[in-house]
Structure formats: structure tokens, C-alpha cells
Amino acid sequence: MTKLVIFDLDGTLLNSLQDLAASTNYALRQHGYPTHELPAFRYFVGNGINKLLERALPEKERTHENMLKIREDFMAYYAVHKADFTTPYDGIYDLLKALKRHHLLLAVASNKYHEATRELIPEYFGEGLFDFVYGQREGIPVKPNPTIVFDIMKEAGVTKEEVLYVGDSGVDMQTAVNSGVTSVGVTWGFRDRKELLANGAQYIADEPCEITRWVR
């Protein structure tokens, strides 16, 4: 029986692409690098802030040193502007309330850095709706490494068979596979159905309300 539903954040719960793009482009401009149009960021995001910034740099400039250089400007800008355009996807709040009515535990497992993840959840969903909120923490490998899922499961006191993992990218589906939990790929986010299926999605949801089908 399902006891815990774990959600990815960006592209699954929140449409945050415009704020991520604006913050990255700001950081690039500060150092004289070319910027990118919004659609490009669909393929830059998903593996954490460092990888986002590395992908946004010109190919010949993708060094760790250059990433760290623009990361400082990104972090400063994003801390102030992370909610300028970000909104929950239509139907998400209703889904979360429905899951809560079934007495399920809810969690967030994001590759967004931990502080921003912890700040965004109550801003958009209030206090108490999510039981566990984990972002990318210092010294902990990013998804698709399963550590973040295992940490949530341990805190929740559940087994792999009692977990449903919901995400919008191949990284999320790989995370579910690596964790041994049931996966639902969602098509309203940053990546497409083909990528989700290619990376092991067991189920596909085109609308948030469909996710309740796979709660056993």
C-alpha cells in the first residue's frame, strides 16, 4: 500500500523555468558571456545548479572555475528573484489536497539547492502540506543518485514498496529506478514523454489528477 509520495520540484510541482533562466542569464551577462532563450533552459536544468550553469556557459568556457565564478552572481540574483514568475502547475494543489485526504505522507526531493527548496515550498503551498522537504545538500550527491530518496524514506519510516515517485525528467526516472521505487513521469514539465519512457518511467501522467490512479 502506498504511504509516501515523493515529488520533484522544478518542472513537476512548480513552473520555475523563467526565474531560473533570468537568474542564469543575469550571471552570464555579469561576466560577458552570451545569454540563452527560454526554451534552451528546459535542457539545462535537472541536475542541480552547478550543472545548469556549466551547460549555460559557452562550450570552450565550461570549466569548474568559470562555473563557480558565475554561480556567485546566480545565487545572489536568484535569492531575490526566485518567485518573480514561478507558479504551481494547474491542478497541483488539488492533487496534493486529495493525497492528503487519503492520509498519505508527501515529500519533495529536488536537485535545487536545499535553502531555496525549503523557502519555495511554504511560499506556494503553505505550512504542513509537505511532511519532508529535501533539496540538494552539501556533500550529498545529486539525483539520480538515490541518497535523497533513501534519506526521506528513512525519516518517513517506509519501505520501497510503499513509495510513489513523481517527476518530469529522465533524471527523475533514473532516480526512481536507482531507489527501487514506483515511478510516475509527468508530461507538463520540462521534458517529454519519450525521455521519461527511455529512462524507466513505469507510468505517465498528462494531468496532475491522474496520479491518484497509481496510489495503491
Side-chain angles (χ1 to χ4, degrees):
M1 186 173 74
T2 305
K3 294 183 179 179
L4 168 68
V5 184
I6 301 176
F7 290 90
D8 172 54
L9 181 60
D10 297 310
T12 302
L13 296 173
L14 296 178
N15 186 352
S16 54
L17 198 66
Q18 193 167 347
D19 285 326
L20 290 168
S23 300
T24 304
N25 282 336
Y26 169 82
L28 292 169
R29 283 195 299 271
Q30 297 305 107
H31 297 274
Y33 293 123
T35 58
H36 303 275
E37 297 296 322
L38 184 63
F41 285 89
R42 289 182 174 271
Y43 300 94
F44 291 167
V45 301
N47 295 86
I49 297 300
N50 290 357
K51 184 59 71 172
L52 159 63
L53 298 176
E54 178 186 312
R55 289 167 175 159
L57 283 165
E59 190 169 351
K60 293 182 179 180
E61 301 291 335
R62 291 176 184 170
T63 66
H64 186 69
E65 291 73 22
N66 285 342
M67 181 278 294
L68 291 177
K69 185 170 63 178
I70 67 171
R71 189 179 195 273
E72 184 174 348
D73 291 297
F74 173 93
M75 297 287 280
Y77 188 92
Y78 191 70
V80 177
H81 298 281
K82 61 181 177 292
D84 286 1
F85 301 101
T86 294
T87 59
Y89 287 100
D90 290 343
I92 285 293
Y93 190 72
D94 289 340
L95 166 66
L96 298 175
K97 296 294 285 185
L99 295 174
K100 270 299 181 185
R101 285 195 296 271
H102 285 85
H103 308 291
L104 294 170
L105 296 170
L106 301 182
V108 171
S110 177
N111 274 344
K112 185 190 293 292
Y113 61 98
H114 189 64
E115 294 79 7
T117 302
R118 297 276 297 180
E119 291 169 2
L120 284 167
I121 289 301
E123 182 162 348
Y124 288 101
F125 302 108
E127 299 286 352
L129 192 55
F130 283 94
D131 301 280
F132 315 101
V133 178
Y134 281 64
Q136 202 281 308
R137 296 159 290 159
E138 192 70 30
I140 305 297
V142 298
K143 300 182 296 183
N145 184 286
T147 299
I148 190 171
V149 173
F150 291 154
D151 286 346
I152 293 170
M153 287 170 53
K154 182 177 180 180
E155 189 174 355
V158 301
T159 66
K160 292 183 288 188
E161 294 76 20
E162 296 168 328
V163 177
L164 191 68
Y165 182 98
V166 181
D168 73 301
S169 72
V171 168
D172 290 308
M173 299 304 98
Q174 292 169 20
T175 303
V177 170
N178 294 340
S179 307
V181 302
T182 302
S183 60
V184 179
V186 305
T187 60
W188 57 79
F190 302 157
R191 304 293 176 86
D192 59 24
R193 178 184 297 261
K194 182 179 178 181
E195 176 175 316
L196 295 168
L197 291 171
N199 286 279
Q202 292 168 269
Y203 304 105
I204 298 290
D206 295 316
E207 296 180 5
C209 62
E210 296 176 15
I211 290 169
T212 57
R213 296 179 186 174
W214 301 294
V215 174
R216 301 186 300 275

